[in-house]
Amino acid sequence: MATTPTPAAAKAVAPPPRSVLRDPAFLRLWAGTTASGLATWALPFVLGLAVLHRDLGGAGLGLVLAARTAGFLAAVAVGGVLADRHSRRAVVLWSALAAAAAAPLLAAGLGRSLVLMTAAAALAGAGQGACRPAFQALTAETVEPGRRQQANAAMTMAVRGSTLAGPALTALLAAFLDVGALLLGIGALWLVAALIPGPGGATTVAGEDLAAPPAPRAGFRTEFLEGMREARRHPWFLAGLAALAAVITLGYSATSVALPLISRDRYGTEWVLAAAVTAYTVGALGGALLIARWRPRSPGRAAFAGLAAYGLAPLSLMLPVHPVVVVAAYAVAGIGIELFNVPWFTATQREVAPDKLARVSSLDFLVSYGLAPVGLALIAPALDAFGVTAVLGACAAACFLVPAAASLVPTARHFGRPSAAPAR
């Protein structure tokens, strides 16, 4: 006698992963990153107000900002080693406290001692530089792999939002507070960045015997070179650094110099400059929102295509187009840069050995921040020697071609092994 088959048990459907924005540990980390971003972007604006109030000269402003950049570049590599050697949370704490301590020193030197201000700016830059790779590694500790792309998108939105809110908020407060008080406010933001983030996750390396005494550590140089060797194990990472270097050194630097000149000489108004810069930041916010959810089939190639979109910015400045086209090109460039940044950070956290993550991340920040001043120094004389059109054309071509070539490197298609690429 035939029997009616018993219905198969329904497969349990896994609940959708909880949004990273509902994770208290991540929210604390996000708040600390936001505070550090606001402090970072507000400082040049406050120092500019000091020039307007005649508490600081133009040459002094350049010296102080150069000292901050030098401090950043000197500390970012050291910070990467420290964050892999010790607790990432501790590195964030002490580096942010160092930046906080620089604020009252800047206020004390304002209008009195340029030497003190220069030293304080170098300390502020060192604190900022040391905490960046630690924040990057702490994100990987705090957030599970399946939610890291969303977490990195939220982090980059904090950074981009700071570029808009930092100067705007500072300008508002400047109506009520003097420059010294604003500098102390920047120090307070660094205190928030130091104290709010949580402890992160476990930092021990797999297979480590916790009962055994700690092995002797190698020197700083040796450990930094270990990070470089780890970076060389990932062809997609080296290709991404090369593409990023080309876009920053040529594309970003060229547009930073040429945009104010073209806004003044071609369009006869500062509106194009302000609108293009704002459109770039708003576009970056939109790109972060998009990539928080989007999982392309070939994430690496999609990311390189986004990076190549920056070439539209110098291309729009090169051609006699309506100013709306320039603004639109900057918006697309902003979207593209975050379509690269967020998967790039996520892949680094996924593919790089956890005990070397901060050191490899420090190489990224060294390229991102270190090459911009070099490009700015080279582009200005190149514009005088070859003309705006020729230089912008060459820079646009580099922005298009170098990321395209980088996307053909082995493992670049998925930013790592195909099996590690996120599912659609």
Side-chain angles (χ1 to χ4, degrees):
M1 177 179 174
T3 58
T4 305
T6 303
K11 291 184 179 180
V13 178
R18 186 178 64 164
S19 170
V20 73
L21 299 179
R22 298 175 62 187
D23 183 344
F26 173 74
L27 288 178
R28 291 177 63 182
L29 181 62
W30 181 87
T33 303
T34 302
S36 70
L38 286 170
T40 297
W41 289 101
L43 182 57
F45 190 85
V46 172
L47 294 176
L49 292 177
V51 173
L52 294 178
H53 295 168
R54 301 186 185 281
D55 294 322
L56 185 66
L61 174 63
L63 180 62
V64 170
L65 292 179
R68 186 178 76 144
T69 301
F72 178 94
L73 295 176
V76 69
V78 175
V81 173
L82 289 175
D84 282 338
R85 175 182 286 190
H86 304 291
S87 161
R88 277 82 185 256
R89 178 65 187 90
V91 173
V92 168
L93 172 65
W94 291 108
S95 58
L97 286 177
L105 296 177
L106 283 167
L110 190 64
R112 300 180 185 90
S113 173
L114 182 59
V115 173
L116 178 59
M117 290 194 71
T118 302
L123 178 61
Q128 177 194 349
C131 75
R132 287 306 296 270
F135 267 128
Q136 184 76 356
L138 197 56
T139 302
E141 287 184 10
T142 304
V143 181
E144 62 191 25
R147 297 190 297 168
R148 284 180 189 162
Q149 184 152 321
Q150 186 184 42
N152 287 317
M155 287 293 196
T156 199
M157 288 180 66
V159 173
R160 297 300 178 181
S162 298
T163 65
L164 289 176
L169 181 60
T170 304
L172 177 63
L173 293 175
F176 307 98
L177 303 172
D178 61 19
V179 174
L182 292 174
L183 288 171
L184 294 179
I186 290 174
L189 286 172
W190 277 114
L191 284 177
V192 171
L195 300 176
I196 280 190
T203 59
T204 56
V205 181
E208 182 179 351
D209 184 3
L210 298 180
R217 302 302 301 247
F220 268 79
R221 179 176 179 273
T222 300
E223 293 199 357
F224 182 73
L225 291 177
E226 286 178 358
M228 294 186 67
R229 284 193 291 271
E230 172 66 19
R232 289 200 297 268
R233 287 202 316 111
H234 306 282
W236 62 269
F237 184 83
L238 298 181
L241 276 186
L244 191 61
V247 170
I248 290 174
T249 308
L250 299 175
Y252 179 80
S253 298
T255 54
S256 296
V257 175
L259 178 60
L261 299 176
I262 290 175
S263 180
R264 180 196 65 192
D265 298 339
R266 181 187 298 168
Y267 300 109
T269 176
E270 297 175 354
W271 174 87
V272 177
L273 169 61
V277 172
T278 303
Y280 178 78
T281 303
V282 172
L285 287 169
L289 280 172
L290 173 62
I291 201 61
R293 297 285 184 181
W294 182 39
R295 301 295 186 271
R297 185 184 298 273
S298 301
R301 290 183 178 173
F304 281 122
L307 184 62
Y310 195 91
L312 295 174
L315 186 63
S316 69
L317 297 177
M318 172 185 168
L319 303 173
V321 295
H322 193 278
V324 172
V325 176
V326 175
V327 174
Y330 269 80
V332 174
I335 294 171
I337 204 69
E338 294 308 338
L339 295 184
F340 173 82
N341 280 339
V342 173
W344 168 261
F345 292 147
T346 305
T348 303
Q349 293 162 350
R350 181 186 70 237
E351 297 289 325
V352 171
D355 61 318
K356 299 179 179 66
L357 176 57
R359 279 170 282 178
V360 173
S361 296
S362 70
L363 296 176
D364 180 9
F365 295 123
L366 279 171
V367 170
S368 301
Y369 288 85
L371 291 180
V374 176
L376 290 171
L378 296 176
I379 289 296
L383 291 174
D384 293 334
F386 304 106
V388 173
T389 300
V391 171
L392 288 176
C395 291
C399 289
F400 291 134
L401 296 176
V402 177
S407 70
L408 303 178
V409 169
T411 70
R413 178 178 178 180
H414 297 286
F415 275 166
R417 302 179 306 277
S419 59
R424 297 187 70 189

